Structures are given as structure tokens and as C-alpha cells.
Amino acid sequence: MSDELTLLAEAGAAAVVAAMATDLWQGTRDGVLGLFRRDAPDSAAPVGARLDEGAALVRTSAAPDDVRRALAGIWSRELHELLRRDPACRVPLARLTAEVDGAFASGRAAVVLEQNNTARDSGTVFAVQHGDIHTTRGAGGAPRRDPDDGPQ
């Protein structure tokens, strides 16, 4: 396989794993599935399962960049093999890679974070993502309500 196709497989893999756990993921996932479906229509389900598993690992990991690095090697091999079997996938893979890279370069891609908070047995949860939380205590240590918060 030519160096050009090897580099394309590596760039494609980098774009795929970079898109995991971002708002670009669904479109990127669909694009990758389309490439594999062109080569072997029956391969879409197992490829989709591997993509979803990788995205879940990225989303739930305490070190998502480490997971992405590991997955990049796996997807580079997958895409390299795809390009070896079907060199016609070169153009759509290059297009998909450019779209993902362009979205990140322009700042259009946003990381999607999930947060689950549960309070039980008269517990209280104070939670925030991407910002600050400010609480104040009134007399006796009880939280003080803001009159603009509505009825109690």
C-alpha cells in the first residue's frame, strides 16, 4: 500500500477517535459505517458495535486522551485494511477526515459530557458542569433562598 494511503488511514483514525464523545460523533460514526458498508455490507453491525464500544470508553474514562491514543492505533489498522481492500474508499475517507478536522479547527466541535447526580434519603445535590456554583448560608447554617427563585 502506498505511503499516501497509510497516512490517510492514520489521519482518518485520528479524526474518528477525536470525534468520539463530541457532538460530531454521530455524523462521524455514520460516515465510517458507510465506508465499511461499501466494502462489505454485512460488516456494518460489527464495525458499529466496535465504534460504540470505543466511544463509550472515551466518554467514561478518567483519561479520555489516553483511550483515544490506544483506539487510534486500532482504527488506523482497520482503515488501512479497508483501503487495501477497496482503494475507492480513499476519497470519502479523506472527505470525512477533512470535515472532522475542519470542525475542530473552527471551534464547532464541542465535547459532550454526561453527568448523573442522585440525592437519596433527604440528601441534597449541588452540581454544575462548565461553570461555577455559589451557595450562601443564612442564620443557623441553613441555605438562604433567593427571592427570585419562586415559591418555596
Side-chain angles (χ1 to χ4, degrees):
M1 177 173 277
S2 75
D3 288 342
E4 178 188 358
L5 293 182
T6 299
L7 291 173
L8 177 57
E10 291 172 357
V16 168
V17 300
M20 291 178 173
T22 71
D23 58 353
L24 299 174
W25 177 237
Q26 193 59 50
T28 303
R29 179 188 184 280
D30 292 347
V32 172
L33 286 178
L35 292 172
F36 280 89
R37 197 174 287 120
R38 283 173 53 139
D39 175 59
D42 295 338
S43 70
V47 169
R50 289 193 305 273
L51 286 166
D52 292 340
E53 181 180 296
L57 287 171
V58 170
R59 192 173 45 254
T60 60
S61 175
D65 289 337
D66 292 343
V67 175
R68 282 187 174 100
R69 274 190 288 279
L71 291 172
I74 294 167
W75 284 104
S76 178
R77 285 189 298 279
E78 292 269 356
L79 293 172
H80 187 272
E81 184 60 26
L82 173 70
L83 291 170
R84 187 189 62 73
R85 287 189 314 266
D86 186 1
C89 288
R90 178 190 171 277
V91 171
L93 179 58
R95 188 178 313 121
L96 178 66
T97 301
E99 288 172 8
V100 171
D101 290 347
F104 279 109
S106 69
R108 290 185 323 220
V111 174
V112 177
L113 298 175
E114 293 183 19
Q115 178 175 329
N116 297 310
N117 305 295
T118 305
R120 290 189 174 89
D121 301 323
S122 300
T124 302
V125 174
F126 295 95
V128 67
Q129 276 186 325
H130 308 295
D132 299 321
I133 189 167
H134 302 278
T135 61
T136 58
R137 298 277 176 192
R144 195 173 61 208
R145 290 190 47 80
D146 187 330
D148 294 332
D149 286 345
Q152 292 188 10

